[in-house]
Amino acid sequence: MCGVREVALAQVWGATTVGVEGQIVVVEVDVTAGLPGIGVVGLPDASVQEARWRTRSALTNSGFDWPGQRITVSLAPAETRKHGSGLDLPIATGILCASGQLSQESVVGLALCAELGLDGSLRPVRGVVPAAIAAARAGATAIAVAPENAREASLVPGLMVLAGSNLAAIIRQLRLPITERIHAQILGQTVLTLENPRDLADVHGHAMARQGLEVAAAGGHHILMIGPPGIGKSMLSERLVDLLPDLDSEEQLAVTAIASVAGALDAAAGVISRPPFQAPHHAASAASLLGRVSGQRVVPGSVTLAHLGVLFLDEAPEFSRPALEGLRQPLESGTVRLDRAQWAGRLPAQFQLVIAANPCPCGWLGTGRCTCNSLARRNYAAKLSGPVRDRMDVRIRLAPLLGNDAAGETTATVRERVEAARIRAGFRWRECSWKVNARIPSGTLRRDWPPDDDGLLLIHNLENRTGSMRGADRVIRMAWTLADLAGHARPNREDVAAALCFRDDAQDLAS
Ligand SMILES: [Zn+2]
């Protein structure tokens, strides 16, 4: 059609996803004399193998020539498995370059990501946001996608978006000088601010629980709330996420990328700027909580969708044991490992956990109305024992209201204090691997970050009484957060005493 037909080796960039992260795949195409045919090397999975047939039909049906020679497509890095149909467009473009139908210069700085229909149409794929992030990080200045993916791709700063409804339209654009190409509208970083329908001021009474939420938000602590049904545990828990500060620009992209892979991104609303909130039902399977692999596609679970935000488990002891036990790994490492034949790897899962539970199966333990026997109570409590429970710093027991409890402060007021405390903590931890008090490692906590002498005395008393170092560590971490909220340079006796309230109050589910 045009150009000189003797180039044999061409190179283009494909952008794809591995798990919930983007990856650049360098597509090399070599056209040589030999028996006509096409082979793909470099760990392609079945969907990428099928690209051979889709690209052949798409190219010929779009009016291009299919080289009557031997075509070899090599995908690099060779050691990672390539999956998904998003490599169709880069493979087809690579064949056009290698056969001299498109110049190699026209694809410099360009990444491509779209599936091809047999008629040459471009089809959207999932996970365009992480693919575009990877492209930008690798130095690409433009990305070609299907029109349905254009808004998503344009959420990533620094990339021009080239969107075409079919292969011929994209190639026409690529043949133009860069300055004459028509790029999709660049939305930049549209930051969405939602009118907030939930406010702490709607919750009456429960002063202790409100303070617990404030501490949890300021220090990144996991929180456990126990109380009879209908007392407001869910209403309080849902309000934690609104107390958290906005995501920074890197976090915004990470959260937006996960939503893109999950097919849950409203691209018209822009980059996600607020921490996500996930509240799976207690009937949710372990797979839907932790993530699964469907065919070749990774389907993030609630723990990943809640990354950098809040995971709320209401009626937590009703969740299945595999689901609860599966939380252990993300709580420890901030990631969840999926290990299936089709795909194995880690997904991000660093969330703040909020657990709400009744004190016993019937819910009325401690009120004189409980109808459960002691075995039922013990079994119920045991479901929340062990590693998950150990990590719950802030523990609150909610008591029925007396009826004359006043409304509290608004979310905006509390969030101001939370943000101020986070700034203090962030400055203190600026050279550490953790950003919030809840993540101060136990090893360094006593040695480098103890409370003052009076505060330490209270900690030693607690240890002598309970014999639990781990429980005492939780108190020190919370005391740091209370000190940050009060503007103290180091936790004092008052901060430690306040932290102790969030420990003893809800020590046991059923006792
Ligand atoms: Zn009961």
Side-chain angles (χ1 to χ4, degrees):
M1 290 178 80
C2 87
V4 192
R5 297 196 175 224
E6 38 189 65
V7 194
L9 185 68
Q11 198 183 74
V12 300
W13 279 5
T16 175
T17 51
V18 181
V20 296
E21 281 174 22
Q23 189 193 28
I24 285 293
V25 174
V26 178
V27 179
E28 279 190 328
V29 182
D30 192 17
V31 175
T32 50
L35 276 181
I38 173 169
V40 181
V41 298
L43 283 186
D45 74 2
S47 62
V48 179
Q49 285 292 1
E50 287 164 6
R52 293 180 296 174
W53 317 122
R54 284 193 298 270
T55 51
R56 180 176 185 146
S57 297
L59 281 171
T60 49
N61 289 333
S62 303
F64 299 105
D65 294 335
W66 182 258
Q69 290 160 295
R70 179 77 204 160
I71 304 171
T72 305
V73 178
S74 164
L75 307 174
E79 66 279 4
T80 48
R81 184 161 286 280
K82 321 299 181 310
H83 70 96
S85 46
L87 289 174
D88 288 2
L89 179 60
I91 290 173
T93 307
I95 291 171
L96 289 175
C97 287
S99 58
Q101 300 178 72
L102 181 70
S103 76
Q104 177 74 54
E105 298 82 67
S106 59
V107 296
V108 170
L110 176 77
L112 305 105
C113 178
E115 180 182 325
L116 287 174
L118 298 182
D119 59 354
S121 59
L122 258 59
R123 294 178 175 165
V125 295
R126 283 198 179 185
V128 160
V129 171
I133 292 172
R137 287 194 180 143
T141 51
I143 186 165
V145 295
E148 294 89 334
N149 284 141
R151 288 188 84 104
E152 268 190 54
S154 68
L155 297 177
V156 178
L159 276 184
M160 303 288 252
V161 178
L162 207 58
S165 56
N166 57 53
L167 180 63
I170 290 284
I171 301 304
R172 254 198 315 278
Q173 289 290 312
L174 292 180
R175 284 177 174 154
L176 297 172
I178 287 179
T179 48
E180 289 172 29
R181 291 177 190 168
I182 302 164
H183 293 100
Q185 188 196 358
I186 304 303
L187 299 171
Q189 291 206 228
T190 320
V191 172
L192 176 72
T193 34
L194 270 179
E195 206 48 48
N196 184 6
R198 303 174 293 217
D199 201 288
L200 262 181
D202 307 337
V203 185
H204 287 239
H206 297 310
M208 192 70 196
R210 290 160 175 284
Q211 203 201 348
L213 284 182
E214 182 172 341
V215 171
H221 305 279
H222 303 308
I223 178 167
L224 169 66
M225 287 199 204
I226 296 171
I231 198 167
K233 300 189 294 286
S234 323
M235 210 173 161
L236 282 159
S237 303
E238 286 164 3
R239 282 160 174 75
L240 171 65
V241 73
D242 301 323
L243 294 177
L244 300 178
D246 283 335
L247 301 170
D248 67 29
S249 56
E250 203 166 305
E251 292 170 336
Q252 291 181 6
L253 283 181
V255 170
T256 305
I258 290 167
S260 168
V261 169
L265 181 65
D266 175 9
V271 170
I272 299 171
S273 64
R274 293 290 305 152
F277 176 73
Q278 287 285 312
H281 188 261
H282 59 73
S285 65
S288 88
L289 198 65
L290 305 171
R292 62 193 171 86
V293 180
S294 162
Q296 304 297 327
R297 201 162 61 79
V298 169
V299 183
S302 304
V303 295
T304 297
L305 294 170
H307 181 56
L308 302 174
V310 171
L311 178 67
F312 172 44
L313 304 186
D314 200 5
E315 301 186 51
E318 305 291 338
F319 279 74
S320 73
R321 197 168 281 276
L324 288 174
E325 277 169 9
L327 291 175
R328 177 186 189 146
Q329 185 193 48
L331 285 173
E332 276 169 10
S333 66
T335 62
V336 63
R337 181 166 176 81
L338 297 185
D339 215 340
R340 306 288 178 275
Q342 309 94 318
W343 189 82
R346 287 183 176 279
L347 303 183
Q350 196 189 102
F351 49 82
Q352 202 168 343
L353 183 60
V354 182
I355 282 183
N358 292 337
C360 67
C362 84
W364 298 103
L365 184 71
T367 63
R369 290 165 57 191
C370 175
T371 56
C372 311
N373 64 38
S374 60
L375 179 67
R377 283 181 208 157
R378 263 206 309 279
N379 287 343
Y380 188 79
K383 291 199 73 178
L384 271 194
S385 62
V388 171
R389 192 187 169 93
D390 266 351
R391 292 184 177 267
M392 309 309 292
D393 285 350
V394 180
R395 301 177 182 189
I396 297 163
R397 191 175 285 260
L398 289 123
L401 297 175
L402 300 171
N404 56 352
D405 300 272
E409 293 169 302
T410 63
T411 292
T413 308
V414 180
R415 190 160 135 197
E416 264 177 42
R417 289 199 297 269
V418 167
E419 282 173 350
R422 286 254 184 161
I423 288 169
R424 277 187 205 107
F427 184 73
R428 183 171 60 245
W429 307 134
R430 65 193 178 281
E431 287 177 0
C432 303
S433 59
W434 60 93
K435 279 166 74 178
V436 291
N437 299 336
R439 296 185 187 275
I440 314 171
S442 284
T444 182
L445 183 64
R446 305 280 181 124
R447 191 184 64 228
D448 304 328
W449 306 102
D452 72 8
D453 289 347
D454 286 346
L456 209 51
L457 210 59
L458 281 185
I459 297 288
H460 290 320
N461 288 345
L462 169 72
E463 275 176 328
N464 289 339
R465 199 156 35 87
T466 62
S468 163
M469 283 235 337
R470 227 196 293 225
D473 281 358
R474 283 199 299 271
V475 172
I476 301 176
R477 290 191 187 94
M478 270 190 290
W480 271 106
T481 303
L482 284 149
D484 287 333
L485 283 165
H488 301 151
R490 180 170 286 269
N492 59 24
R493 187 184 171 85
E494 190 189 324
D495 299 321
V496 174
L500 283 169
C501 299
F502 295 112
R503 180 190 163 279
D504 285 330
D505 224 24
Q507 181 68 341
D508 294 298
L509 264 177
S511 48

